[in-house]
């Protein structure tokens, strides 16, 4: 799996958009970008994933640069419940391909 | 998303005893299950990968005779921590995926193990 780099921590005001960056400059052509988050003392929660097109679901949007070397996860209207550690992972999308977690970004939503 | 149930959520055991943790996929068939361990203020560390009906593949540095993994069906995997010691105290998390349809992996809620 390609290595990903994320800032260790970020703050965002409640109600504003939270933009979480991720660098994956060594990503290969068939590796997807996955985002998970982990709220304190819980298992990780899947958020979104994409290959090269931008993706949106009910939780977030994923913007992937054209060269695929970086991406941004956007939480459009952050709430206090979005406070968590967010993990960006590059991986192949088949079979028993494992998810390897880095250190992630600790996002704190400020009231 | 799909539901993965992990049991128990918390367990305290005496040093030298064994503890079994169950991981069930409730609404899908998990061809592959992953077991992770997480120490305080650290990220998840993959311990092993198991495919239904096959022996688990352990990550480097993880003792397979201490952490016994069974994945006998498409909906159940178990992790048994044998002869537990205080240093085995950690947060253990399972993840399940149906590799036949290339879906994302879903995680259980984790098990907090404390060895006293």
């Amino acid at each position: 799996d390609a290595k990903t780099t994320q800032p260790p921590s970020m703050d965002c005001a409640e109600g504003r958009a939270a933009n979480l960056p991720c660098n994956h400059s060594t990503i290969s052509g068939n590796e997807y970008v996955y985002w998970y988050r982990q709220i304190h003392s819980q298992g990780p929660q899947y958020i979104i994933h994409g290959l090269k097109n931008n993706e949106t679901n009910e939780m977030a949007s994923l913007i992937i640069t054209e060269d695929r070397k970086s991406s941004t996860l956007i939480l459009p209207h952050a709430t206090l419940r979005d406070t968590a550690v967010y993990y960006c992972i590059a991986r192949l999308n088949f079979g028993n391909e494992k998810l390897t977690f880095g250190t992630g970004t600790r996002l704190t939503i400020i009231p | 998303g799909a539901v993965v149930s992990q049991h128990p959520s918390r367990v305290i055991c005496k040093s030298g005893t064994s503890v079994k943790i169950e991981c069930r996929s409730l609404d899908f068939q998990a061809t592959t299950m992953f077991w992770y361990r997480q120490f305080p203020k650290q990220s998840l560390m993959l311990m092993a990968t198991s495919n239904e009906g096959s022996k688990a593949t352990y990550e480097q540095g993880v003792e397979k005779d201490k952490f016994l993994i069974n994945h006998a069906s498409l909906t159940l995997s178990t992790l048994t921590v044998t002869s537990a010691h205080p240093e085995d105290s950690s947060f253990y998390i399972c993840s399940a995926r149906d590799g036949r349809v290339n879906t994302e992996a879903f995680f259980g809620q984790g098990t907090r193990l404390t060895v006293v």
Side-chain angles (χ1 to χ4, degrees):
Chain A
D1 296 343
K3 179 178 170 58
T4 62
T5 305
Q6 300 176 253
S9 64
M10 290 180 63
D11 292 340
C12 177
E14 187 179 14
R16 304 296 293 268
N19 297 283
L20 292 93
C22 179
N23 284 322
H24 31 80
S25 57
T26 61
I27 196 169
S28 65
N30 51 358
E31 282 184 307
Y32 286 68
V33 179
Y34 278 78
W35 283 84
Y36 284 80
R37 72 180 182 184
Q38 186 179 26
I39 295 170
H40 183 62
S41 294
Q42 297 182 23
Q45 177 189 22
Y46 165 80
I47 301 173
I48 200 167
H49 75 281
L51 183 62
K52 51 184 177 182
N53 296 324
N54 297 336
E55 302 286 345
T56 295
N57 62 21
E58 64 279 4
M59 289 184 68
S61 294
L62 174 60
I63 308 299
I64 303 175
T65 58
E66 195 168 339
D67 63 7
R68 301 208 329 120
K69 292 185 177 181
S70 65
S71 60
T72 301
L73 178 75
I74 302 172
L75 308 178
H77 304 287
T79 71
L80 297 179
R81 288 178 295 180
D82 292 323
T83 292
V85 179
Y86 287 75
Y87 296 98
C88 167
I89 301 168
R91 60 164 286 194
L92 298 170
N93 195 30
F94 64 86
N96 61 355
E97 194 66 19
K98 56 193 177 184
L99 277 172
T100 302
F101 287 79
T103 53
T105 296
R106 182 172 297 279
L107 175 67
T108 302
I109 306 301
I110 310 296
Chain B
V3 179
V4 175
S5 177
Q6 196 171 334
H7 179 80
S9 58
R10 289 180 177 271
V11 58
I12 300 173
C13 72
K14 291 185 177 180
S15 187
T17 63
S18 295
V19 175
K20 180 184 285 188
I21 302 169
E22 291 188 350
C23 180
R24 295 181 184 271
S25 56
L26 298 187
D27 51 3
F28 68 102
Q29 293 185 324
T31 59
T32 305
M33 286 192 174
F34 307 89
W35 286 95
Y36 293 83
R37 180 168 53 179
Q38 186 176 33
F39 293 107
K41 298 189 186 303
Q42 295 185 21
S43 187
L44 288 77
M45 292 185 59
L46 181 66
M47 299 174 67
T49 303
S50 72
N51 293 308
E52 184 264 337
S54 302
K55 288 184 178 180
T57 301
Y58 290 80
E59 296 297 302
Q60 191 172 8
V62 179
E63 300 174 57
K64 63 178 178 9
D65 294 329
K66 180 169 181 63
F67 299 99
L68 302 179
I69 292 172
N70 183 282
H71 189 176
S73 79
L74 284 171
T75 59
L76 174 66
S77 176
T78 60
L79 167 67
T80 301
V81 183
T82 63
S83 186
H85 289 99
E87 56 265 32
D88 298 324
S89 298
S90 187
F91 191 51
Y92 291 86
I93 308 166
C94 73
S95 173
R97 185 168 191 251
D98 186 341
R100 298 168 299 184
V101 294
N102 290 334
T103 61
E104 57 272 22
F106 297 97
F107 287 79
Q109 61 268 51
T111 297
R112 175 77 57 195
L113 169 64
T114 303
V115 184
V116 297

